[in-house]
Structures are given as structure tokens and as C-alpha cells.
Amino acid sequence: LAPPRDVRNGVIERAREARAPRARTPLEVHAEVEATLVELLDELPNSAHDLPTLNGLTIRELVAHLAAMESLLAMWLGVPTLPGVDDEEVVARTATVVAVTQGWSCAEVTALWRRSMAAVRAAAPNDATSRWFGSEMPTDLVLVIRAFETWTHTDDIRRALGKALDVPSAAALRTMAEGSMSLVPSAMDSSGLSRPGRTARIVLTGAGGGEWNVAMASGAEAGERDASQPDVSQPDVSQP
């Protein structure tokens, strides 16, 4: 006999919770993606530093972009790593840092990025919230956002080198997934699609995936789901 729908759903939900990987802390995820990119950059021959990536920046310039963004967060956390560079807009700051580091070796640009990563992790535990492009956000969430971008650009470099793409650990992906779920209500608001009083059920498959009931408007508590994804189109969380 087919089990009643509520029994079936309850059993499946408990099973998925039981197999869900332990989420890593945002600090651990931030350090993990740094180590992955460092390993990739250490293997680069000098001839590859000027290879173009998908967004038009060379590999060395893309590392400078990461240094620009991480040093910006370090500045906002009160531990600046690039004195004299005060730009706070993504494109402008990237252009400035690329210009400042124009004569630097790839190793020197990488060292600036790593100093900024280390400064951010050292300062993060002291601040529950951090400035983030015109808003104040939980510092843990900002760390996850930074880790996600680092992963994305690591794959940009892999593409430029003709290497297979890679993914963080399942535990790191779980932390990124949790962070992305917390952004859904504000994303609904900013896109003009908020549904106050409504709840969506979001399912991410693959390593680090899970199921979440998410409020469809900021400032609301998630309740019983009003909408959910069709089973045939569940996204795989293991791809950025």
C-alpha cells in the first residue's frame, strides 16, 4: 500500500536530515577556499599568469581583484591591508588595485590577497556584523559570500588553464547553502517579488544540499510551505 503523503514526506525529511553533512564554520570555509586557490596558483607556470579569464581579466589581474575585495572587507573590519586605496565600489577598486600592482609578480599579488584573507579572519570574531556595500550584515554571512566568490574565481582560473572544475567539501557547501537561504527574503524584496506571510520550500540536491522552509519576505518567520520547487528541476548545490 502507498503510505499517506504526510507520512512519506516526514520519513524522507528525517532521512535527509540524518545524512546531511556537518556544516563548517564560516571561518573554516573561508580558509578552505583560500587553501584550494593557493594550491592551484602554486602550480602555475610563469607563462600562465597573463592568460585571460572569462571576465576579461588575466589570471594575475583576477587575483588582484580578489585582493581588492578582500582588502576592502579588511578595511571595513578595521584592519586595512592596502593603505592609500580607499575606493569602495567593485569596478573602481578593482581597477585601482590592478593598476597599483601592475609591476608586481603574480606571487606578490597573491601575497597581498593572502594577507587580506588572514586579516579578515583575525578580525571577524571581534565583530558580529560587518559593513557590506551600503548595508550591515552578519560577519559570518559576509565571510561565506567572500568564500563563494573565491570559489567562483578559482573555477574561472581552472577554465583558463583547461583544468577540470572543482568543488569545496560537502561541509563547506552546506555552510554556503545555509547562507544563501538566509538571503532569500531580502532578495525577494529587492526584486519586487516578496510575498509577505508566505513560505517557500527550497530543496538543493548534491553534496552539501538539504531542504529549507524560507519566508518570502524580510522580517517574517517561515511557516508551513505555500510553494515548493518541482522535483524535476531541483538545482545541484555543487556548482556555483
Side-chain angles (χ1 to χ4, degrees):
L1 296 177
R5 182 177 179 82
D6 59 339
V7 172
R8 178 180 182 276
N9 288 346
V11 170
I12 290 175
E13 182 174 348
R14 286 192 295 275
R16 284 175 170 152
E17 288 174 352
R19 75 178 185 185
R22 180 189 71 85
R24 304 195 76 182
T25 69
L27 282 171
E28 289 172 333
V29 176
H30 193 264
E32 178 183 322
V33 295
E34 177 189 0
T36 300
L37 179 50
V38 167
E39 182 179 358
L40 178 62
L41 293 174
D42 282 347
E43 298 172 353
L44 285 184
N46 291 336
S47 58
H49 296 166
D50 292 323
L51 287 176
T53 62
L54 274 174
N55 57 17
L57 297 175
T58 65
I59 289 177
R60 186 179 62 80
E61 290 170 341
L62 188 56
V63 178
H65 163 71
L66 286 171
M69 296 300 97
E70 212 67 41
S71 63
L72 177 58
L73 178 55
M75 183 176 73
W76 283 338
L77 288 171
V79 286
T81 56
L82 196 53
V85 177
D86 300 321
D87 303 86
E88 296 188 352
E89 191 273 328
V90 175
V91 175
R93 187 175 181 87
T94 296
T96 298
V97 175
V98 167
V100 166
T101 60
Q102 191 64 48
W104 296 17
S105 68
C106 193
E108 290 171 326
V109 179
T110 300
L112 169 63
W113 164 65
R114 296 197 68 189
R115 286 198 302 275
S116 302
M117 295 284 280
V120 163
R121 285 199 297 275
N126 301 321
D127 292 291
T129 62
S130 169
R131 183 178 170 191
W132 187 248
F133 294 106
S135 64
E136 196 77 11
M137 295 177 62
T139 302
D140 279 353
L141 182 56
V142 176
L143 288 172
V144 171
I145 292 171
R146 293 299 319 131
F148 187 89
E149 184 185 0
T150 303
W151 166 30
T152 300
H153 289 321
T154 298
D155 271 353
D156 287 338
I157 294 173
R158 288 183 178 279
R159 290 186 181 95
L161 296 170
K163 289 180 173 286
L165 304 187
D166 196 14
V167 296
S169 65
L173 289 173
R174 179 69 177 202
T175 302
M176 292 183 186
E178 293 279 3
S180 68
M181 292 304 106
S182 71
L183 291 170
V184 170
S186 59
M188 297 284 289
D189 291 347
S190 61
S191 64
L193 297 173
S194 63
R195 297 291 184 271
R198 298 297 183 92
T199 294
R201 181 73 160 174
I202 299 179
V203 180
L204 300 180
T205 63
E211 299 186 16
W212 293 264
N213 282 344
V214 182
M216 300 174 72
S218 293
E221 293 292 331
E224 292 298 318
R225 66 181 178 184
D226 298 289
S228 61
Q229 297 166 279
D231 289 342
V232 295
S233 62
Q234 294 175 355
D236 189 337
V237 73
S238 64
Q239 292 297 322

